[in-house]
């Protein structure tokens, strides 16, 4: 367990494990990056990432822009392959997307010509193993109910607000009943009030479905209010700077107990703020040094 205020980078520990429950996702000694065939260069996005995610855990990932967060979640989704190392789900190496994992994207990624229910249906219509139509209908209705969109089945995306569109994105991820929900800055494009309402809803949904969640965010408060643990990624090439256990009681969205005003919340927030501002400054000075190196 890492306590706020400790500096895990001072320790040689390579692996960061939550000891409770069984390991569902394992990222082992992963390096990731992208080759530029034309210029014959390789950009290293992530370096030496080892991480275990426990079944039922809500893992939040924060880090400066471009540090490799999306690359990490895309490797778990099976969209991107590591350059070296391995990503496993239930002990099996990931070698492509699968029904056990679903992604919620920041820009919703809805099909504008399909209604809400047809967008949600998209996630299960091309599944191997035929789902009979009545069961499909029931699953879609249930997913829409969970995200509070019952009554909007026949609406088109352009008729919905940003928050409602993202609810469709979440329903589409839930309908396949995946074990793992991968969320890449899902509330980044909605206003502050809607964002908070959606965080509260997500907490409720997860309490019901008991899914494991890997959640990228740029918001420190969002990471603390939702996460069981927060992984802080350093500036690129991203390494794990620290993992913080969020030992705040749940539910975190409880009107009688405003967790954001608690001393513990403030403590974690200041610690994260310091870590991330160090990283942002490090990235800035690093890029100045690189530019100077290039012109020298
Ligand atoms: N398909 C790609 N081809 C080439 N380079 C890529 C590709 N995807 C990402 N990168 C580069 O890899 C690095 C990490 O990108 P990534 O999107 O994983 O970071 P991020 O932490 O999610 O950023 P942000 O917070 O800004 O969304 C960046 O330098 C980015 O330019």
């Amino acid at each position: 367990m890492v306590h706020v205020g400790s500096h895990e980078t001072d320790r040689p520990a390579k692996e960061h494990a939550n000891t409770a429950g069984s390991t569902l996702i394992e990222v082992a000694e992963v390096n990731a990056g992208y080759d530029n065939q034309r210029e014959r260069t390789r950009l290293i996005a992530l370096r030496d990432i080892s991480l275990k995610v426990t079944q039922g855990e809500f893992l939040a990932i924060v880090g400066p822009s471009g540090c490799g967060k999306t690359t990490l979640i895309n490797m778990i989704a099976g969209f991107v392959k590591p350059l070296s190392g391995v990503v496993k789900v239930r002990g099996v190496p990931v070698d492509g997307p699968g029904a056990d994992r679903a992604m919620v994207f920041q820009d919703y990624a809805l099909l504008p010509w399909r209604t809400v229910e047809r967008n949600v249906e998209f996630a299960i219509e091309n599944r191997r193993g035929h789902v009979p139509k009545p069961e499909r209908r029931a699953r879609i209705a249930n997913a829409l109910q969970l995200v509070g969109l019952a009554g909007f089945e026949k609406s088109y995306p352009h008729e919905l607000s940003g928050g409602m569109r993202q609810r469709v994105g979440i329903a589409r991820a839930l309908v396949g009943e995946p074990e793992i929900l991968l969320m890449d800055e899902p509330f980044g494009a909605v206003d502050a009030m809607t964002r908070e309402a959606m965080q509260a809803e997500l907490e409720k949904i997860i309490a019901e479905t008991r899914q494991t969640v890997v959640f990228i965010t740029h918001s420190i408060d969002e990471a603390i209010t939702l996460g069981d643990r927060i992984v802080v990624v350093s500036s690129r090439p991203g390494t794990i700077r620290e993992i913080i256990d969020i030992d705040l009681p749940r539910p975190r969205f409880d009107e009688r107990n405003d967790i954001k005003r608690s001393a513990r919340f403030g403590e974690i927030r200041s610690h994260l703020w310091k870590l991330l501002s160090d990283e942002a400054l490090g990235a800035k000075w690093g890029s100045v040094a690189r530019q100077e190196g290039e012109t020298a």
Side-chain angles (χ1 to χ4, degrees):
M1 180 166 31
V2 176
H3 293 283
V4 169
S6 71
H7 290 278
E8 196 161 299
T9 41
D10 296 344
R11 297 200 238 141
K14 269 187 109 184
E15 192 174 82
H16 309 261
N18 184 345
T19 45
S22 62
T23 299
L24 183 59
I25 305 169
E26 182 177 6
V27 178
E29 295 175 17
V30 159
N31 289 298
Y34 302 92
D35 288 328
N36 181 327
Q37 306 290 0
R38 197 164 20 95
E39 294 179 16
R40 296 175 176 227
T41 54
R42 172 175 279 182
L43 177 143
I44 301 296
L46 290 167
R47 183 164 284 160
D48 200 18
I49 302 287
S50 289
L51 176 71
K52 285 180 180 172
V53 187
T54 305
Q55 186 166 17
E57 183 176 19
F58 194 118
L59 187 81
I61 302 177
V62 298
S65 188
C67 71
K69 302 179 294 296
T70 298
T71 304
L72 177 58
I73 213 170
N74 278 343
M75 284 191 294
I76 300 171
F79 300 149
V80 168
K81 288 196 187 332
L83 295 172
S84 64
V86 67
V87 177
K88 294 181 189 172
V89 172
R90 285 210 176 283
V92 179
V94 169
D95 77 344
D100 55 345
R101 288 151 285 145
M103 181 78 101
V104 177
F105 301 93
Q106 177 179 359
D107 59 2
Y108 324 131
L110 302 182
L111 303 171
W113 58 89
R114 284 189 167 208
T115 61
V116 164
E117 63 182 0
R118 296 271 297 132
N119 262 285
V120 175
E121 188 171 19
F122 182 73
I124 47 173
E125 66 193 5
N126 292 320
R127 280 278 170 84
R128 249 180 273 149
H130 181 66
V131 183
K133 201 156 186 170
E135 191 192 326
R136 234 198 266 182
R137 291 268 150 260
R139 275 163 75 163
I140 294 166
N142 185 40
L144 288 173
Q145 183 78 38
L146 268 173
V147 300
L149 274 185
F152 291 91
E153 294 80 359
K154 305 288 178 211
S155 302
Y156 284 89
H158 74 269
E159 298 173 302
L160 307 176
S161 67
M164 290 163 87
R165 283 181 211 173
Q166 191 53 297
R167 282 164 213 248
V168 181
I170 296 171
R172 185 183 50 195
L174 293 173
V175 75
E177 297 173 0
E179 225 175 340
I180 301 167
L181 215 46
L182 303 169
M183 306 183 88
D184 191 352
E185 185 74 4
F187 308 142
V190 298
D191 64 89
M193 294 300 288
T194 308
R195 186 169 188 151
E196 207 157 301
M198 294 195 65
Q199 291 164 1
E201 277 173 37
L202 180 63
E203 186 184 49
K204 262 196 220 148
I205 291 170
I206 298 308
E208 205 169 305
T209 60
R210 303 190 174 276
Q211 276 152 322
T212 303
V213 185
V214 181
F215 187 103
I216 295 176
T217 179
H218 280 111
S219 158
I220 291 178
D221 282 15
E222 185 166 84
I224 307 172
T225 37
L226 288 173
D228 293 317
R229 285 189 302 160
I230 301 179
V231 177
V232 182
V233 181
S234 73
S235 52
R236 188 170 63 80
T239 55
I240 295 181
R241 169 90 195 260
E242 187 167 321
I243 298 189
I244 300 169
D245 276 306
I246 307 300
D247 48 4
L248 295 166
R250 286 191 187 274
R252 306 261 172 86
F253 293 89
D254 182 353
E255 277 157 23
R256 289 157 302 166
N257 173 25
D258 188 353
I259 215 132
K260 284 194 183 163
R261 288 178 187 272
S262 72
R264 184 67 182 142
F265 192 99
E267 232 173 80
I268 300 171
R269 182 203 264 149
S270 336
H271 179 66
L272 263 172
W273 187 264
K274 166 93 179 61
L275 274 176
L276 288 169
S277 49
D278 282 358
E279 285 306 324
L281 280 178
K284 191 169 157 196
W285 294 124
S287 79
V288 170
R290 268 197 300 281
Q291 276 171 23
E292 284 175 350
E294 279 161 15
T295 50

